Amino acid sequence: MNASNTTASAAERAQDAVNNERLQSAIAALAAFGGRDDGGVSRETLTPIDLAARRHLIDYARSLGCEVGIDDCANLFFRRAGTSDRTPVLTGSHADTQPVGGKLDGAYGVLAGLEVIAALNDAGIRTVRPIEVVAWTNEEGSRFGPGTMGSSAFVTPSLLDGYRQSVDKDGIVMGDALDAALKEVPDVPRRAMALPMEAYVELHIEQGPVLERANAALGVVTGIQSVRWYRVVCTGMAAHAGTTPMDERSDAMAAAMAIATQLYARADQEAAHNIRLTLGRWHVGPNSINTIPGEVEFTIDVRCVDAAVLDRFERFLQDVTSQHAWRGNITFENLFYRAPTAFPQPMLDLIEKACTRASDLAQRGAPKKVTSGAFHDAMYMADHCPTGMIFVPSKDGISHNAAEETAPADLYLGVQALAYTMVELANR
Amino acid sequence: MNASNTTASAAERAQDAVNNERLQSAIAALAAFGGRDDGGVSRETLTPIDLAARRHLIDYARSLGCEVGIDDCANLFFRRAGTSDRTPVLTGSHADTQPVGGKLDGAYGVLAGLEVIAALNDAGIRTVRPIEVVAWTNEEGSRFGPGTMGSSAFVTPSLLDGYRQSVDKDGIVMGDALDAALKEVPDVPRRAMALPMEAYVELHIEQGPVLERANAALGVVTGIQSVRWYRVVCTGMAAHAGTTPMDERSDAMAAAMAIATQLYARADQEAAHNIRLTLGRWHVGPNSINTIPGEVEFTIDVRCVDAAVLDRFERFLQDVTSQHAWRGNITFENLFYRAPTAFPQPMLDLIEKACTRASDLAQRGAPKKVTSGAFHDAMYMADHCPTGMIFVPSKDGISHNAAEETAPADLYLGVQALAYTMVELANR
């Protein structure tokens, strides 16, 4: 018997055994936890409804024969044994949502992993390595900042102490919420953080319009954009709108506007490099109709796969704020920096093969190579083990919204591609 | 006896009888009501501290021999009888402050009127017409909107019903606060609104830097700028900062910024007409660092003494919002409109004469003709009777601030000019 043929065949059989009806039912069942009349889902991390959803996932995974474990950050792991005790292959995503989110962002990746296990059961396939499915805690970061807590703490457990200090808007401390969540599942054994993994593959909705526009059902994610966040503070002098002549003003909004206009123009010049610039959060003081703004603060979110483009942007920001120093006191500071993530070529090759077979069988166009503009748990896992991601389209590119949607046929193809990839990895 | 000579002489004698020490004491005494450690005053309209200040003013006015009356909007009138019952000449301002204001904005004008009466008493001068001093209710509008309530309701009593519906941030209804204030002074007779007045003269701090810059102690206010307020609403589509390519965005902030930049440029072009443009209040939704703004609202406060300049500005605003319609749904609406106020020439001539004599005696530079960029009660009184205003300098142009300040010597000259003006008007 040719081992390589056997492996390939198992991956194909796993791919073909994915059950679309069961997948859609599982998505609908989890969406009921925090489900909203508008079709959206409100299931912020570690809320009572999130704890109920976790119990639902534990029960479902056990019904598929999985062993369940939980770590100190309440990340849930569902394990299907392999024929060996080699390091496992991991898939999954997160089950928490934004305050108002959709039923797919995160949940889809967790349920896809469980559907892969169900398909393997149906097809009677055993893999060499164990397959694990994870539901990361607090990917969204909307209740307790920062986001991607679970995966980053898994990779770097020393982060957890700091995360536990985070406080939500009602004054609840993250550490207390975490302890309560752990207490809710006395039947689930605790397992260590940072356990070695052979590979991590995350299936997720794109949350952008690129795949839909290209009419591609599947996306091979080559990497995650580098992100830099800045805060610009322009301090002028608040004064009466009626009594202060224009040439006597130190108008912080006029300064902010001049700077922002130059930043937008710069982004236009870098359009070929697919830079993305967002000036999303503004604070204007005193924010009164008849008072000249004395202080304007705004944030910059700038992303690109090419770190050199962002280096140039930062130098430009430095120059522009200096140019406008005559208008008042203008400062900027870096709030966050994340280098680009490039997934390894062998992983991209494998995922492309898996996506191509699924697309071909469904008579859909070739998978498209895309970069991720959003953060994902895979960003941190890429520091821990060979990692990859698969995207399915988002209708109109909408996410973090009740209107988030992906065609069921595309969701099905995504899980097919994941099943193939996982079995290939688990038999190596 | 030559009546005209007698009159001139009385005005001069009244001017010379103004007592600077008594004036400064009166300012300090009123500033104690709501006085702050930082030198500012917090005395919002109809608060307990404002009611206490009103009682203080009533007692002080009665000690000067005044008859006190109050109208349905709780405007307080202090009357010094004339030798006839012809229509009186009115001066005054307001005693309420911003949440954090100074000791001069408004209070100075009321106390200046009472000092004129004290000076007339000292000099043994009787005027033909009665002289009245008013403390208008709620000029500031910070607790109950809109501002200049007392003077506008005095001129147009039908406004009062609507004003009584205004609610402060604690849910207190203006009508109830007004009734409570009226009940606090059962010893003060009620008088009618809209009583005929021979003239109204208001003495006020400039609240801008023009007089200080010109080194002039006194300003002859030729009129009040026309004011227009607009709200611009730019509606785009909120979306993920990372996943949405630049050419797929409908970024409401980019639209607002492009419009605002053109408005500032337009104000530059109209600089010769002394237009004043303030984009003071901003609301950005959802106001999140990593979400493309889906809605941006901002206000425009634009002022000029020349209504034609503002008409041109409004047409430009119309054009600019249309030009940017491709970026999303962009609308604007007019929130407030006030035509320019021009004070009558005979009043300007009289005030200039009064100011010139006061400045000359103090060996200060000539009074400067200025326009008011701020609203004042005089704006509404100008619709009711011949009206004028006198300004004194504001240190660094600062007002609506604890740091508000005017040199005592300038405050003294202002009351001297007012005394002259009032006696001239009251003997006509």
Side-chain angles (χ1 to χ4, degrees):
Chain A
M1 190 167 89
N2 182 317
S4 139
N5 279 356
T6 307
T7 307
S9 164
E12 289 177 2
R13 282 190 293 129
Q15 186 167 41
D16 297 339
V18 170
N19 182 324
N20 192 26
E21 198 178 326
R22 180 172 53 204
L23 172 69
Q24 306 298 337
S25 302
I27 291 170
L30 184 56
F33 294 86
R36 298 162 50 90
D37 289 344
D38 60 8
V41 176
S42 292
R43 191 170 62 231
E44 280 191 289
T45 193
L46 303 180
T47 53
I49 200 72
D50 182 43
L51 300 190
R54 287 162 169 268
R55 172 56 64 189
H56 167 80
L57 288 172
I58 292 165
D59 292 345
Y60 180 47
R62 283 182 175 152
S63 79
L64 298 175
C66 292
E67 182 190 331
V68 184
I70 195 165
D71 68 18
D72 288 351
C73 197
N75 296 310
L76 272 172
F77 293 85
F78 311 118
R79 177 188 178 99
R80 183 175 191 267
T83 56
S84 76
D85 57 357
R86 292 195 207 166
T87 52
V89 177
L90 184 66
T91 186
S93 191
H94 58 97
D96 67 312
T97 74
Q98 289 279 320
V100 179
K103 60 185 186 297
L104 299 172
D105 179 359
Y108 171 55
V110 176
L111 296 169
L114 292 172
E115 174 54 31
V116 169
I117 288 174
L120 293 175
N121 292 348
D122 284 358
I125 297 169
R126 300 202 60 193
T127 54
V128 177
R129 297 176 186 276
I131 287 181
E132 293 192 351
V133 178
V134 63
W136 301 112
T137 296
N138 189 25
E139 192 270 349
E140 295 291 357
S142 52
R143 182 181 175 200
F144 297 110
T148 56
M149 254 189 201
S151 51
S152 57
F154 174 84
V155 173
T156 311
S158 60
L159 291 172
L160 187 55
D161 277 352
Y163 291 169
R164 289 179 60 92
Q165 312 307 314
S166 179
V167 177
D168 77 3
K169 67 176 167 33
D170 299 322
I172 297 173
V173 178
M174 166 73 182
D176 295 341
L178 207 50
D179 292 342
L182 293 168
K183 239 180 233 164
E184 278 287 310
V185 290
D187 54 314
V188 178
R190 195 71 64 91
R191 51 182 265 169
M193 314 279 280
L195 288 175
M197 293 289 162
E198 175 66 12
Y200 176 67
V201 182
E202 184 168 353
L203 173 60
H204 206 282
I205 57 170
E206 181 199 341
Q207 303 177 274
V210 176
L211 291 178
E212 182 181 67
R213 195 172 45 177
N215 197 26
L218 293 169
V220 180
V221 184
T222 57
I224 300 179
Q225 291 179 345
S226 178
V227 181
R228 299 187 193 187
W229 284 354
Y230 304 91
R231 174 170 41 224
V232 179
V233 180
C234 305
T235 308
M237 171 69 87
H240 195 296
T243 59
T244 315
M246 295 302 274
D247 58 0
E248 294 273 338
R249 296 181 177 209
S250 175
D251 181 336
M253 181 49 84
M257 198 131 305
I259 293 166
T261 299
Q262 286 182 266
L263 297 180
Y264 279 121
R266 179 70 179 188
D268 272 353
Q269 288 164 18
E270 297 276 20
H273 299 283
N274 201 16
I275 196 175
R276 290 170 185 173
L277 174 67
T278 303
L279 310 180
R281 195 171 69 204
W282 290 72
H283 169 81
V284 178
N287 214 31
S288 156
I289 192 166
N290 58 349
T291 305
I292 299 160
E295 180 162 297
V296 176
E297 242 186 74
F298 67 94
T299 56
I300 299 172
D301 174 312
V302 61
R303 307 190 189 210
C304 192
V305 283
D306 184 347
V309 173
L310 297 184
D311 286 342
R312 283 202 297 270
F313 183 88
E314 182 165 318
R315 285 195 299 275
F316 183 76
L317 175 61
Q318 174 73 64
D319 290 349
V320 168
T321 50
S322 304
Q323 275 169 37
H324 291 277
W326 61 273
R327 295 173 176 273
N329 183 30
I330 297 170
T331 61
F332 76 93
E333 60 173 319
N334 186 279
L335 298 179
F336 178 81
Y337 168 80
R338 177 81 203 176
T341 302
F343 297 133
Q345 192 59 49
M347 183 66 86
L348 301 184
D349 293 343
L350 172 58
I351 288 176
E352 186 167 15
K353 193 172 159 193
C355 289
T356 301
R357 185 173 182 272
S359 300
D360 284 355
L361 287 175
Q363 298 183 297
R364 292 288 299 262
K368 184 171 168 65
K369 284 191 177 136
V370 294
T371 57
S372 173
F375 298 160
H376 292 287
D377 293 302
M379 190 164 78
Y380 290 93
M381 287 303 290
D383 295 337
H384 188 69
C385 63
T387 292
M389 288 193 79
I390 305 168
F391 274 175
V392 294
S394 291
K395 187 166 186 300
D396 298 328
I398 295 171
S399 76
H400 289 191
N401 194 306
E404 175 191 287
E405 205 181 320
T406 301
D410 293 347
L411 295 173
Y412 172 59
L413 292 188
V415 183
Q416 285 201 309
L418 179 67
Y420 186 104
T421 306
M422 292 298 288
V423 171
E424 278 287 324
L425 291 166
N427 281 338
R428 280 179 184 174
Chain B
M1 189 168 85
N2 181 318
S4 140
N5 279 354
T6 307
T7 307
S9 163
E12 288 176 2
R13 282 190 294 129
Q15 187 167 39
D16 297 339
V18 170
N19 182 324
N20 191 26
E21 198 177 328
R22 180 172 53 204
L23 172 69
Q24 306 298 338
S25 301
I27 291 170
L30 184 56
F33 294 86
R36 298 162 51 89
D37 288 344
D38 61 7
V41 176
S42 293
R43 192 170 61 229
E44 280 191 289
T45 193
L46 304 181
T47 52
I49 200 73
D50 183 42
L51 300 190
R54 287 162 168 268
R55 171 57 64 189
H56 167 79
L57 288 173
I58 292 166
D59 292 345
Y60 181 47
R62 281 183 176 152
S63 78
L64 299 174
C66 292
E67 181 191 330
V68 184
I70 195 165
D71 68 17
D72 288 350
C73 197
N75 297 311
L76 271 172
F77 293 85
F78 311 118
R79 178 187 177 100
R80 183 174 191 268
T83 56
S84 77
D85 57 358
R86 293 196 205 165
T87 51
V89 176
L90 184 66
T91 186
S93 191
H94 58 98
D96 68 312
T97 74
Q98 288 280 319
V100 179
K103 59 186 186 297
L104 298 172
D105 179 358
Y108 171 53
V110 176
L111 296 168
L114 292 172
E115 173 55 29
V116 168
I117 288 174
L120 292 175
N121 290 348
D122 283 358
I125 297 169
R126 299 202 60 192
T127 54
V128 176
R129 297 176 185 275
I131 286 179
E132 293 192 351
V133 178
V134 64
W136 300 112
T137 296
N138 190 24
E139 192 270 349
E140 295 291 358
S142 52
R143 182 181 174 197
F144 297 110
T148 57
M149 255 189 200
S151 51
S152 56
F154 174 83
V155 173
T156 311
S158 60
L159 291 171
L160 187 55
D161 277 351
Y163 290 169
R164 289 179 60 92
Q165 312 306 314
S166 180
V167 177
D168 76 2
K169 68 176 167 35
D170 299 322
I172 297 173
V173 178
M174 166 73 183
D176 295 341
L178 208 49
D179 292 342
L182 292 168
K183 239 180 232 165
E184 278 285 310
V185 290
D187 54 314
V188 177
R190 194 71 63 91
R191 52 182 263 168
M193 313 279 279
L195 287 176
M197 293 290 162
E198 177 65 11
Y200 176 67
V201 182
E202 184 167 352
L203 172 61
H204 206 283
I205 56 169
E206 181 200 339
Q207 302 179 274
V210 176
L211 291 178
E212 182 181 67
R213 196 172 44 178
N215 198 24
L218 294 170
V220 180
V221 184
T222 56
I224 299 179
Q225 289 179 345
S226 179
V227 181
R228 299 187 194 188
W229 283 355
Y230 304 91
R231 174 169 41 224
V232 179
V233 180
C234 305
T235 308
M237 170 69 86
H240 196 295
T243 60
T244 316
M246 295 303 274
D247 58 0
E248 294 274 337
R249 297 182 176 207
S250 175
D251 181 338
M253 181 49 84
M257 203 127 299
I259 292 166
T261 300
Q262 286 182 266
L263 298 180
Y264 277 120
R266 179 70 180 189
D268 273 354
Q269 288 164 18
E270 297 276 20
H273 300 282
N274 202 16
I275 195 175
R276 290 171 184 173
L277 174 68
T278 304
L279 311 180
R281 195 170 69 203
W282 290 72
H283 170 81
V284 178
N287 214 33
S288 157
I289 192 165
N290 58 349
T291 305
I292 299 160
E295 180 163 295
V296 175
E297 242 186 74
F298 66 94
T299 57
I300 299 172
D301 173 312
V302 60
R303 308 190 189 209
C304 193
V305 283
D306 185 347
V309 173
L310 296 185
D311 286 342
R312 283 202 296 271
F313 184 87
E314 184 164 316
R315 284 194 299 274
F316 183 75
L317 175 60
Q318 173 74 64
D319 289 349
V320 168
T321 50
S322 304
Q323 275 168 36
H324 290 277
W326 62 272
R327 293 174 178 273
N329 183 30
I330 297 169
T331 61
F332 75 92
E333 60 173 320
N334 186 281
L335 297 179
F336 178 81
Y337 169 79
R338 176 81 205 177
T341 302
F343 297 134
Q345 193 59 47
M347 182 65 87
L348 301 185
D349 292 343
L350 171 59
I351 289 176
E352 187 167 17
K353 193 173 158 193
C355 289
T356 300
R357 184 171 182 273
S359 300
D360 285 355
L361 287 175
Q363 297 184 297
R364 292 290 299 264
K368 183 172 168 64
K369 282 189 180 138
V370 293
T371 56
S372 173
F375 297 161
H376 291 288
D377 294 303
M379 190 165 77
Y380 290 93
M381 287 303 291
D383 294 337
H384 188 69
C385 63
T387 291
M389 288 192 81
I390 305 168
F391 275 173
V392 293
S394 290
K395 187 167 184 302
D396 298 328
I398 294 171
S399 75
H400 289 191
N401 193 307
E404 176 192 286
E405 204 182 320
T406 301
D410 293 345
L411 294 173
Y412 170 59
L413 292 188
V415 183
Q416 285 200 308
L418 179 67
Y420 187 104
T421 306
M422 291 298 288
V423 171
E424 279 286 323
L425 291 166
N427 281 337
R428 281 180 184 172

